[in-house]
Amino acid sequence: MHVPDGLLTAPVALASAALSAACVATAAVRSRTRAGARATALRGVMAAFVFAAQMLNFPVAGGTSGHLVGGALAAVLLGPAAAIIVMTAVLVLQCLVFADGGLLALGANVLDMGVIHPVVGYALYRLVAGRTPNGARRIVALAFGSWGATLATAATCAGQLALARVAPPGVLLSAILGSHVVVGAGEAIIGALVLGALQRVRPELLTVDARGDRLPPLALGVFGLSVALALALFVTPFACSWPDGLEQAFRRIGVVPSSARVELAAPLRDYSVPGLSGALSTSAAALLGTLLVFAVCVVLGRSLAPRREREKLTTAR
Amino acid sequence: MRPLVEERPAGRRLVAALLVLLGLGLAPRSLTVVASCTVLGLVVALGLAARIALRRLGSRIALALPFSLGVAGLALFQPDPLASFVVLAARTTASIAVLQLVVLTTPFARIVDALRRARLPRALVDTVSLLHRYLGLVASEMHRMRRARAARTWDDSRRETWRAGAAVIAGSFVRSLARAERVALAMRARGGS
């Protein structure tokens, strides 16, 4: 899934680079709290492990093979911040030493495989695994997280290529997303088998859950917002434009909701920004909407959270 | 006194490559093919000046091309299929050539130096550095484990291949953790924190 140079336009590459830079910087700040020889060595050797694991191909079907991306697995084993650093290091080396993936497209590749894969994978894993996961639940959670992360990564990659007008969005989304439904299943199976093997051989190594590797609110906000912005920028412009169920029902029974009756001056009407057109307009509207919702949530969260919780959040920082 | 080996940081080279790639990306569609051919000519000239065998450069570009051309092939679904494909294929080929030239002419140590000078986070630069140091070791160890596992496994069904592969990756993870502990001890012994 390494995007080479020449396919993405400069604005898409630069927007992706800005989002990934924010996440890598936050992950680096987070890793500063765990500085020292042990943490440095662990990240370096684990990056070598992820790189080597990516080189191990598995037979899929029809003479084709697949390999692990490893972002979700790394996030579950090392924590999301360390996983972002590890995956970014892998992608930087692949680009600058092996010329795998583009230099201008490095930001896009880091965003797709270095940020979205571990963050989405870890979020889905936590969602399914819960607070005290047992063996089987942990394996199912990782499998689901890996599959979902691969799909989110593929959708973002397809959106970036579509926004760069490499091909029509329908063609790109069906080609890339369709094939990654299968690739994601492979990622899920390999991840589950690796986690199962680890649980059998060295269960004490799966300590991320046990030691409560909770992200501070700032890191959580930056990672979550970056993934949301990436999806808003690159995927939402190509969402299905068909009417939803209610609109379809209105059309069938001949009810036309009159916009003349309740005419509010909505600034981003029909998910578009005045003055812009096409996918760019939808992207900009989604970007503004995401930022607005995030700001509202932060303000509401801060004002509604009990004082004790607020103090806890401040000290966690 | 001049040093025996002159240290030339790779930062300028990387920035120059980025600017060329950016220029290619921003070039108007009507000029893309001409711009790409010019960049390709420049890459060949610089390759000759750097005494790189053109065959080596060409084979590395050819190795990276099929995937890019495959994606560019999707442009055939665009309204102006042939022109879109030619523009995309020309730009991709020239961009790949630029990156291959950078990779072939820049030693890894200078890349790390450039990343440090660019003030990238220390955690990332150290991780890239250690990754390069231990990649060969971990990869060869993983391949040895896979070969040993294959020699002990009689069942060559796809299911067993997947199980064996996963066991190799899990085993490699455990060994990598142990190696990380040893590396950390060695770093401390040499004065690391």
Side-chain angles (χ1 to χ4, degrees), chain A residues 2 4-6 28 31 37-38 40-42 45-49 57 59-60 93 96-97 101 165-168 193 202 205, chain B residues 21 67-68 74-75 77-78 91 95 99 103 108 111 121 123 130-131 146 158 162 166 169 173-174 176-177 180-181 193:
Chain A
H2 295 68
D5 281 322
S31 65
R38 192 172 180 276
T40 308
L42 185 68
V45 179
M46 282 300 122
F49 159 75
N57 278 35
V60 181
L93 196 79
L96 295 178
V97 175
R165 296 187 180 176
V166 168
L193 285 170
R202 299 281 299 274
L205 290 179
Chain B
L21 295 172
F67 173 72
S68 308
L74 293 174
F77 292 92
Q78 295 277 42
R91 198 167 62 198
S95 304
L99 185 58
V103 167
F108 177 73
I111 291 174
L130 280 170
L131 159 63
R146 196 179 198 189
R158 187 164 295 174
W162 277 67
I169 294 177
F173 175 76
V174 174
S176 299
L177 273 183
E181 293 289 346
S193 55

Side-chain angles (χ1 to χ4, degrees), chain A residues 186-211:
Chain A
E187 177 92 14
I189 293 169
I190 300 168
L193 285 170
V194 171
L195 198 66
L198 270 177
Q199 282 187 160
R200 274 197 310 276
V201 184
R202 299 281 299 274
E204 76 279 5
L205 290 179
L206 302 168
T207 52
V208 171
D209 291 315
R211 70 166 179 260

Side-chain angles (χ1 to χ4, degrees), chain B:
Chain B
M1 195 201 292
R2 288 182 66 187
L4 287 176
V5 180
E6 201 175 343
E7 286 294 326
R8 281 188 204 154
R12 281 185 207 161
R13 200 173 299 175
L14 289 174
V15 171
L18 262 176
L19 288 177
V20 170
L21 295 172
L22 205 60
L24 269 178
L26 292 173
R29 196 181 148 96
S30 55
L31 291 177
T32 302
V33 175
V34 177
S36 302
C37 290
T38 311
V39 168
L40 265 176
L42 200 66
V43 166
V44 170
L46 287 171
L48 285 173
R51 294 181 189 173
I52 293 171
L54 283 184
R55 201 171 162 185
R56 190 173 169 215
L57 181 64
S59 64
R60 288 189 68 138
I61 295 170
L63 207 67
L65 263 182
F67 173 72
S68 308
L69 292 183
V71 179
L74 293 174
L76 293 172
F77 292 92
Q78 295 277 42
D80 189 5
L82 201 61
S84 302
F85 175 74
V86 169
V87 164
L88 216 53
R91 198 167 62 198
T92 311
T93 309
S95 304
I96 287 174
V98 170
L99 185 58
Q100 290 292 353
L101 182 69
V102 170
V103 167
L104 281 173
T105 55
T106 316
F108 177 73
R110 300 220 176 127
I111 291 174
V112 171
D113 189 42
L115 297 180
R116 280 219 173 91
R117 281 168 191 246
R119 294 175 185 247
L120 286 183
R122 195 178 157 186
L124 178 64
V125 181
D126 287 348
T127 307
V128 172
S129 196
L130 280 170
L131 159 63
H132 187 260
R133 168 73 181 80
Y134 289 101
L135 176 61
L137 212 61
V138 173
S140 63
E141 189 177 73
M142 200 180 274
H143 280 292
R144 278 202 306 277
M145 285 168 71
R146 196 179 198 189
R147 208 164 49 202
R149 179 90 195 192
R152 287 196 301 271
T153 309
W154 292 95
D155 185 0
D156 65 345
S157 66
R158 187 164 295 174
R159 187 178 167 185
E160 191 48 45
T161 314
W162 277 67
R163 276 175 66 97
V168 167
I169 294 177
S172 177
F173 175 76
V174 174
R175 286 182 181 212
S176 299
L177 273 183
R179 188 182 303 279
E181 293 289 346
R182 291 199 298 276
V183 172
L185 278 177
M187 284 165 75
R188 275 198 208 114
R190 288 172 176 83
S193 55

Side-chain angles (χ1 to χ4, degrees), chain A residues 20-251:
Chain A
S20 50
C23 288
V24 173
T26 309
V29 169
R30 169 83 180 134
S31 65
R32 211 182 287 162
T33 59
R34 290 182 176 182
R38 192 172 180 276
T40 308
L42 185 68
R43 278 194 301 268
V45 179
M46 282 300 122
F49 159 75
V50 170
F51 198 127
Q54 286 185 355
M55 287 157 72
L56 217 63
N57 278 35
F58 288 78
V60 181
T64 57
S65 64
H67 67 82
L68 197 73
V69 174
L73 182 67
V76 169
L77 295 176
L78 307 171
I84 287 176
I85 295 287
V86 162
M87 293 301 292
T88 305
V90 168
L91 290 161
V92 167
L93 196 79
Q94 283 173 340
C95 171
L96 295 178
V97 175
F98 299 93
D100 190 7
L103 185 60
L104 189 61
L106 183 60
N109 286 325
V110 168
L111 180 68
D112 297 348
M113 288 177 279
V115 173
I116 291 180
H117 206 278
V119 171
V120 172
Y122 189 73
L124 292 176
Y125 169 81
R126 298 294 302 192
L127 194 73
V128 177
R131 282 180 187 274
T132 50
N134 59 19
R137 193 167 171 183
R138 194 182 263 154
I139 289 173
V140 171
L142 176 66
F144 182 62
S146 299
W147 185 72
T150 307
L151 283 190
T153 300
T156 314
C157 181
Q160 286 163 332
L161 292 170
L163 213 57
R165 296 187 180 176
V166 168
V171 174
L172 278 166
L173 281 168
S174 56
I176 296 179
L177 214 51
S179 62
H180 279 81
V181 170
V182 182
V183 173
E187 177 92 14
I189 293 169
I190 300 168
L193 285 170
V194 171
L195 198 66
L198 270 177
Q199 282 187 160
R200 274 197 310 276
V201 184
R202 299 281 299 274
E204 76 279 5
L205 290 179
L206 302 168
T207 52
V208 171
D209 291 315
R211 70 166 179 260
D213 186 37
R214 294 187 69 175
L215 285 173
L218 180 68
L220 199 64
V222 172
F223 294 158
L225 184 63
S226 299
V227 172
L229 287 178
L231 293 175
L233 265 175
F234 303 122
V235 184
T236 50
F238 310 109
C240 184
S241 58
W242 292 351
D244 63 21
L246 188 63
E247 285 170 341
Q248 187 68 12
F250 278 157
R251 282 186 190 184

